[in-house]
Amino acid sequence: MASYTLHPGTEITREDVAKMAAEADVDTVLVTLFAGRDETAVLHPGRKYYGVAPVYGTGYYGRGRVYGVPYQVGETQDFWAEHTSVHLTAKLYEVSTADRLWEASAGIEESDDIAQMRSAFIDSFMGDLAAHGIVDRK
């Protein structure tokens, strides 16, 4: 499988894509573009954690019994976090006719590992294509 990665700001034309496809001897081309980035503040609510203590007591008829009483053992506070998402769009074209066969948009959580992000997006995208019968994923 041939793969071309272009640097940001690189201008590419339909003819450039057709030339790369001819060199790679492929009949379809997947073009993925950066569509933007957004930051969202998200509230992560705190949680309370409870344990249960056994307690001995007497019942209505004077018989002893054991029952549980919940008690708080821990707590985390609410906190806000900034989440940065990267939005991508990908289009699958048939080279001979330049017809668009498929288009997908995705947003993924931005990470420092660009290669991992790219790989995760491609795996997800190809899974969607296979689910719709456009490609045979082996």
Side-chain angles (χ1 to χ4, degrees), residues 52-102:
V52 177
V55 175
Y56 178 79
T58 58
Y60 180 74
Y61 296 105
R63 291 188 223 139
R65 68 181 187 133
V66 177
Y67 56 94
V69 173
Y71 65 96
Q72 186 173 334
V73 295
E75 178 178 11
T76 59
Q77 298 298 318
D78 294 350
F79 68 94
W80 287 90
E82 275 300 313
H83 291 271
T84 303
S85 297
V86 175
H87 299 277
L88 304 171
T89 184
K91 299 174 184 177
L92 184 68
Y93 292 96
E94 184 175 4
V95 175
S96 62
T97 63
D99 288 342
R100 185 175 61 223
L101 302 175
W102 179 262

Side-chain angles (χ1 to χ4, degrees), residues 16-133:
D16 294 331
V17 173
K19 180 181 172 191
M20 287 186 263
E23 289 173 6
D25 192 30
V26 295
D27 57 356
T28 58
V29 176
L30 176 64
V31 179
T32 306
L33 302 170
F34 175 72
R37 172 182 284 124
D38 66 19
E39 293 182 2
T40 307
V42 176
L43 173 64
H44 296 273
R47 295 183 63 162
K48 292 183 179 182
Y49 300 93
Y50 293 91
V52 177
V55 175
Y56 178 79
T58 58
Y60 180 74
Y61 296 105
R63 291 188 223 139
R65 68 181 187 133
V66 177
Y67 56 94
V69 173
Y71 65 96
Q72 186 173 334
V73 295
E75 178 178 11
T76 59
Q77 298 298 318
D78 294 350
F79 68 94
W80 287 90
E82 275 300 313
H83 291 271
T84 303
S85 297
V86 175
H87 299 277
L88 304 171
T89 184
K91 299 174 184 177
L92 184 68
Y93 292 96
E94 184 175 4
V95 175
S96 62
T97 63
D99 288 342
R100 185 175 61 223
L101 302 175
W102 179 262
E103 181 175 344
S105 297
I108 56 177
E109 191 77 20
E110 185 173 37
S111 80
D112 294 333
D113 187 352
I114 301 300
Q116 185 270 339
M117 283 175 47
R118 181 185 306 124
S119 177
F121 174 76
I122 291 170
D123 287 345
S124 174
F125 180 77
M126 293 307 290
D128 286 347
L129 290 176
H132 286 84

